[in-house]
């Protein structure tokens, strides 16, 4: 099985039911254009996995297909051994900024509270304890002072932190983040990665679409090289040291090269 390696308990082989996230035989197309072919990978508890690849490689599509935002032609997504059902609360998703309507009349606190709708229930009012929880998450990402601001008034880095706070509010087991470090300053990048490391240290599973080869080994435990298909996946040191980067990016795959969205 291609995937992020995990260490099973002594004397027992690791099975897919032990894995927080297991994607098998995933195929996705936009109309007649194939985007992902037979993608298979896994992510273990406590892992921080970077999904990297060139523009158009299907990185964002992969995350969206996992959570059911993009239809799958075939394939399975299993969470702790069971078929994943969107909305079951086990997976939190942070989208790219470009897919959001920033003119929508909502405050940062409103958006973070949306992460609690599994507890609140649809079409029911946000109660004081939910607002308190949302404010605590904003404080964790350094945005408590901006809780009442309309989302379009936030800077790019603040927007990213707001969505991280919404994901934190869900208290999920698996976090999927689509380029959370794109376009943010160094302070925001450090804060976001510190939070993700804390989640991984607590046994959560983190998968991040990433855009910078230079920070792969510094930030992540595992890497998934994607270019329509899985080129290689595993512990980040082995992936970076292999010839797979050249196969994924061609002759432009050098340390420090920027990686585009896909």
């Amino acid at each position: 099985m291609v995937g992020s390696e995990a260490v099973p308990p002594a004397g027992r082989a690791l099975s897919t039911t032990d894995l927080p996230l297991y994607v098998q035989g995933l195929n996705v197309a936009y109309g007649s254009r194939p985007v992902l072919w037979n993608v298979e990978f896994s992510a273990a508890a406590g892992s921080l996995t970077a999904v990297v690849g060139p523009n158009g490689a299907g990185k964002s599509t992969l995350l969206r297909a996992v959570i059911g935002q993009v239809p799958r032609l075939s394939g399975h997504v299993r969470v702790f051994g069971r078929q994943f059902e969107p909305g079951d609360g086990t997976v939190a998703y942070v989208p790219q900024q470009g897919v959001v309507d920033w003119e929508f009349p909502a405050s940062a606190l409103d958006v973070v509270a949306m992460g609690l709708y599994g507890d609140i229930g649809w079409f029911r009012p946000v109660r004081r304890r939910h607002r308190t929880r949302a404010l605590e998450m904003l404080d964790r990402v350094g945005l408590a002072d901006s809780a009442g601001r309309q989302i379009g008034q936030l800077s790019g880095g603040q927007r990213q932190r707001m969505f991280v706070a919404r994901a934190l509010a869900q208290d999920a087991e698996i976090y999927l983040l689509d380029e959370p470090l794109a376009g943010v300053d160094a302070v925001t990048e450090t804060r976001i990665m510190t939070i993700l490391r804390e989640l991984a240290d607590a046994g959560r599973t983190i998968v991040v679409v990433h855009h910078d080869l230079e920070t792969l080994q510094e930030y992540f435990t595992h890497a998934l090289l994607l270019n329509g298909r899985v080129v290689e996946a595993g512990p980040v040191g082995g992936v970076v040291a292999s010839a797979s980067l050249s196969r994924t990016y061609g002759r432009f795959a050098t340390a420090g090269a920027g990686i585009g969205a896909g």
Side-chain angles (χ1 to χ4, degrees):
M1 178 180 68
V2 177
S4 301
E5 293 182 4
V7 179
R12 183 167 65 86
L14 188 71
S15 72
T16 58
T17 57
D18 297 305
L19 295 166
L21 180 63
Y22 175 48
V23 176
Q24 180 183 32
L26 182 65
N27 291 277
V28 176
Y30 292 138
S32 61
R33 182 172 67 89
V35 179
L36 297 174
W37 301 270
N38 197 32
V39 170
E40 182 173 350
F41 80 97
S42 61
S47 62
L48 250 171
T49 300
V51 181
V52 294
N55 287 330
K59 303 184 296 296
S60 298
T61 297
L62 173 60
L63 297 196
R64 295 179 65 202
V66 166
I67 63 172
Q69 283 192 359
V70 172
R72 309 170 201 144
L73 293 177
S74 60
H76 301 279
V77 175
R78 291 187 171 86
V79 173
F80 297 103
R82 67 184 184 275
Q83 192 73 17
F84 172 62
E85 295 293 338
D88 71 359
T90 57
V91 179
Y93 171 63
V94 175
Q96 288 187 14
Q97 290 192 43
V99 301
V100 177
D101 178 6
W102 296 106
E103 299 302 317
F104 189 76
S107 69
L109 186 65
D110 293 333
V111 170
V112 175
M114 292 176 186
L116 295 166
Y117 273 106
D119 181 41
I120 298 170
W122 292 105
F123 308 113
R124 299 183 66 182
V126 177
R127 307 178 78 170
R128 178 179 296 179
R129 64 186 175 89
H130 300 126
R131 295 180 68 84
T132 298
R133 168 74 174 169
L135 189 58
E136 288 172 352
M137 296 303 100
L138 281 170
D139 185 55
R140 185 173 177 183
V141 301
L143 277 183
D145 292 342
S146 299
R149 295 180 66 187
Q150 192 272 334
I151 57 175
Q153 298 174 351
L154 301 175
S155 68
Q158 288 173 328
R159 293 172 180 180
Q160 292 288 48
R161 283 187 278 156
M162 175 187 69
F163 278 120
V164 171
R166 184 182 70 172
L168 291 173
Q170 291 182 237
D171 194 26
E173 294 294 331
I174 301 165
Y175 292 81
L176 308 179
L177 301 95
D178 195 351
E179 297 214 56
L181 306 184
V184 304
D185 59 29
V187 172
T188 296
E189 182 168 311
T190 298
R191 185 184 291 270
I192 290 174
M193 288 310 307
T194 297
I195 291 169
L196 297 184
R197 286 195 195 97
E198 290 172 352
L199 289 171
D201 289 343
R204 308 303 170 89
T205 302
I206 321 295
V207 179
V208 180
V209 172
H210 191 54
H211 64 280
D212 185 4
L213 285 172
E214 192 171 58
T215 56
L216 271 182
Q217 294 189 79
E218 177 184 358
Y219 287 165
F220 298 96
T221 63
H222 293 75
L224 170 68
L225 300 184
L226 186 70
N227 195 351
R229 306 173 187 270
V230 174
V231 179
E232 185 171 347
V236 66
V239 171
V240 170
S242 74
S244 297
L245 282 176
S246 295
R247 297 202 307 272
T248 306
Y249 295 100
R251 64 189 179 88
F252 298 104
T254 56
I259 305 173

